[in-house]
Amino acid sequence: MIDFENYFDTNPAIMLLIDSENGQIAKANKSASDFYGYTIDELGTLNISDINILPRVECLKQVKKIAKKELANCNFKHRLKDNSIKDVKILATPIEVDKHIMNVAIIEDISVELKNLEELKKYYKIVDESLAFIGVANKEREVVYLNKAFKKAIGINNNEDLSKYKTSDLYTKEAVNKNAKLYKKSILNGGNWIGENELKALDGTIIPVIQSGIVVKDSSNNIDFTSITAFDISQKKAAETKLIQSEKFYKSLFDNLNGFAYCKLLYKNGKANDFEYVLVNRAFEDLTGLKEVCGKRVSEVIPGILEKDFALIRHYADVVETGIPRSFEIFLESMNKWFSVSVISTDSSHFMVSFDVIDERKKHEKLIQSSLRRYKALLEISKDGIHVIDKAGKIIEVNDAFCDMLGYSKAEILNLNLNQIDVNFSKDELLDKIEEVIKNNSIIETKHRKKYGTIIDVEVNTAVLSYEGVDYLYCSSRDISERVKAEKISDEALNRLNKIASRVPGVLYQYVLRTDGTSYFPYASEGVRDIYNVSPKEIIEDASVVFNRIHKDDLEGVIKSINVSAKNLTPWQYEYRVQEDDGTIHLLYGNSIPQKQPDGEILWHGFITDITEQKKAEKALLELSDRFKHFFDLHSAVMLLIDPDSNNILDANISASNFYGYTRIELQQMKITDINILKPEEVKREMELAVNEKRNYFVFKHKLSNGELIPVEVHSTPILFDGKKTLFSIIHDISLKEKSEQQVKEYTNKLERMNADLDSFAYVASHDLKAPLNVVNGFLGLINSKKDSLSKESRDEYLKYIQDAVNQMKLLINDLLHFSRIGSNKDSFVMVDVNHLLISIQDVLAETIHKSNATVTIQPLPTISANKTLLNELFMNLLGNALKYHKSDQEVLIEVGYQETPEYHQFFVKDNGIGIATENLGKVFVMFKRLHTQTEFEGTGIGLSLCKRIVEAHNGQIWVESVLGEGSTFYFTIKK
Ligand code: ADP
């Protein structure tokens, strides 16, 4: 027999012995005491229902079940002494003790275990609901667990038994192999693995995943299971593939379609003048044919581009400088290609260019235009504004009329879209309209804006042109602004016409001749009252009242002329008279144009005016012109009629014929420029002054038939002659007047000169003559006062002084007399051979010449008309001075020479003497002006003033050129 008691008490398991009748705890072992926190004795007083948290009745039920062996194994919650509750597992069995059934319960504390289980459940849920694919396999590689996501991905139902699957069923073949390797590796080295893999669903779909796997071993290092966590990366894969594809796409685009270049703009002196290729694509090379351009400048790569196509660099620079992208088409002469270019700037010096060669398109455009050529002739001669547009409204071709209509140049207009011209439709409406018109040709009325803003109404006729499957619209437009305007104002027109007509002198009318011979005025302006003394209404049905007014002598003629005009449909023009009631007669002039009406009636439009006054004036004019003719022909003054446009002399009177020495007929065939010596353009200018009445007095020189030039005074007035402006000129010979004027001038000059000389006399008298007089006076005084005491020597000496002074005075007075005698009496002029004159002068001066050891050279001299005595005097003085004012240490050289000018004989006397200081050059010709004292050089200071006077008597001039110390040249002229 087992020592139950000992077994019970010392058993490490928690044990209780419970009375099956009432649940009373009969015995508890040490382990129970430890577990529940009660002493063994305390436990012996408790009922199991004190510990089990079930209600007492329920608890007893369980105890009974155990006693009856209906329950052996169950879980409960037990409350410990400290009130904490523990999950416990009970293993109970009934035993018979003293015929009493007792339950032996072994209690296992399962609270920790349960807690773990809870935790596990939580994890399980997370794992099961996770979006990642999570699976577990045992070491036989059989699938033990797959979470929901995994199952769904593979296509396994939630409740399906997993044990039939092996891991290899879940992967593609390659993946299985890959996994096997990784698996092995992991087993050897431990740890987990991670990598891309491919799951295979039951339907064969491949799911790319990234997965991590781990091999879990048990405590004795045997493989327990393998866990896999995988993520579906199919979307990422798809995106990646897409990305790769689009990259490929763009790359091919980049390489094959457009040319691309990334460039750097280069500057010189702050101005963009070149650029460098940084990067280009393959298409760049294909399109341009340029190879290995990177790092090079465009000017190196494309020679001549800077010179021929600088516009390109300008475009790029603008884009870089403004940052505004630009697209344009350009023909590069240096490459002989058309390009379409788009540019954007990337920073302040770089830009990207995408371009295409559009030669083909340009060629196409050209073709289009050439196909239009056959329309072109039509285009150019058409008065309508023709323009060809494409579907987008771009203007492709225009004629001149269209340009004129809108005020643009052809080049300007070809850059426009129709929507920039049309103001009636919005951009979109216009496109719709074009579409519509292409479908059903139609006529459109619209409005166009001219270059400077004026809006015009136009009517556009359209036709479709197809070229290579592309439709173009051939539009022919006509400016109908006027028509539109006209329509608008048509109502007012009649009123206005009436208003205007009422202001026109005379009558505006319409006159109708019926087929039966009667007539009427459907319209006549108010002026009809003045002319025929009837109202417009009175004659609207019947014109006869008008005819009653016509002078009886003219009536027949009027009717006849009307009939002729009606028959031949020629304009009716007639002058006739009407007679008023009081007998006054008016002269009328009528003018009208006939039109045959469909019904056979003849309608005239015309006007009639009263020309009585005009006729009177004409008659008066005729009479006047007759009178004028008479006056003109016979007047003693010289008169010419000149046509200012042609310069023709239209008429000349008898006096003119006498004066000029031509016959009147000759004069009428001449031009005024044949007579007036001014240049034709000068004549024209002067004549314009006369025609425009700016001036009517002129002084000219006219040439007579004998070649003589006569100064004339001309009075010119414009007059109407045969309805044309004509110059009427009266000509006076003023040659006599001019001559006498000249004489007066000469006399006046002479008088002035004489006055000046008289002034000089006065000066001389007061100064120079006074000096010797004072000397005389002084010495005479001395002699007088010292009468007795004066020694003979002193008296003789004084008398000598007096004598000298008197001699000086005599000299002076002689010179003065001589001077005053010099006149310009022309009668005393003779022909003088100046050569001879100088030979005789040299004879007179021979001694002086000899004394001063001078050489006198004389050039050949002319024979001139002059006063011989005076000319002699002149040369004597000049040569005398030349000999006198010489330098003592030098040979004296004197030269006399001559030069002819158109109006004068010019002589000079040149010496190499002492010369004259520049400041004294003007003084030497002044009377009594001397530059030296008597002791230096003797003289009176009158010689050169004499010379001046002599030269002036010959209407000439005298002057001197000199350098002090080097010599002087005296020039003088004698008027021819
Ligand atoms: P004069 O009787 O003093 O010679 P002129 O009227 O002839 O008077 O000359 C006036 C002055 O001009 C002279 O005093 C002299 O100083 C100067 N003169 C005249 N002729 C010459 C000459 N050939 N060379 C230098 N000086 C001259």
Side-chain angles (χ1 to χ4, degrees), residues 398-524:
V398 292
N399 69 349
D400 290 343
F402 191 63
C403 300
D404 292 348
M405 189 166 96
L406 295 173
Y408 285 102
S409 75
K410 208 164 195 167
E412 285 172 331
I413 225 163
L414 288 176
N415 270 327
L416 296 181
N417 188 294
L418 195 61
N419 63 37
Q420 291 164 277
I421 289 174
D422 196 289
V423 288
N424 205 22
F425 301 109
S426 73
K427 254 186 196 176
D428 293 339
E429 280 170 1
L430 189 72
L431 292 179
D432 291 347
K433 196 79 198 169
I434 293 172
E435 198 72 41
E436 181 194 318
V437 171
I438 285 182
K439 268 186 209 137
N440 5 283
N441 285 349
S442 54
I443 299 176
I444 316 154
E445 275 193 19
T446 180
K447 285 177 191 298
H448 283 178
R449 182 190 285 111
K450 295 178 71 158
K451 184 174 176 183
Y452 295 111
T454 322
I455 309 277
I456 53 171
D457 293 283
V458 289
E459 182 186 271
V460 187
N461 269 285
T462 59
V464 180
L465 294 177
S466 281
Y467 180 74
E468 293 198 339
V470 184
D471 289 335
Y472 298 92
L473 210 54
Y474 180 92
C475 310
S476 156
S477 56
R478 187 170 294 181
D479 183 351
I480 53 161
S481 312
E482 289 306 315
R483 192 180 88 196
V484 171
K485 224 193 279 166
E487 281 166 6
K488 234 195 216 162
I489 62 166
S490 66
D491 289 343
E492 305 158 28
L494 199 65
N495 283 338
R496 198 170 297 162
L497 171 71
N498 278 335
K499 246 186 224 162
I500 295 167
S502 70
R503 287 198 200 133
V504 172
V507 54
L508 291 179
Y509 68 89
Q510 285 181 316
Y511 172 71
V512 174
L513 181 63
R514 297 193 183 96
T515 42
D516 63 4
T518 60
S519 60
Y520 62 103
F521 287 88
Y523 172 79

Side-chain angles (χ1 to χ4, degrees), residues 815 877-886 909-917 920 923-934 937-947 960 962 964 967-970:
D815 277 353
N877 265 301
L878 293 176
L879 278 168
N881 278 349
L883 288 164
K884 183 162 54 166
Y885 297 104
H886 67 79
V909 177
K910 186 176 174 183
D911 65 55
N912 63 342
I914 59 167
I916 303 164
N920 291 328
K923 293 182 190 160
V924 296
F925 298 103
V926 177
M927 209 192 291
F928 304 117
K929 247 298 163 283
R930 304 203 65 233
L931 305 176
H932 306 277
T933 59
Q934 285 297 344
F937 297 99
E938 273 189 11
T940 56
I942 210 162
L944 285 178
S945 46
L946 252 177
C947 292
V960 59
S962 178
L964 191 63
S968 319
T969 308
F970 283 85

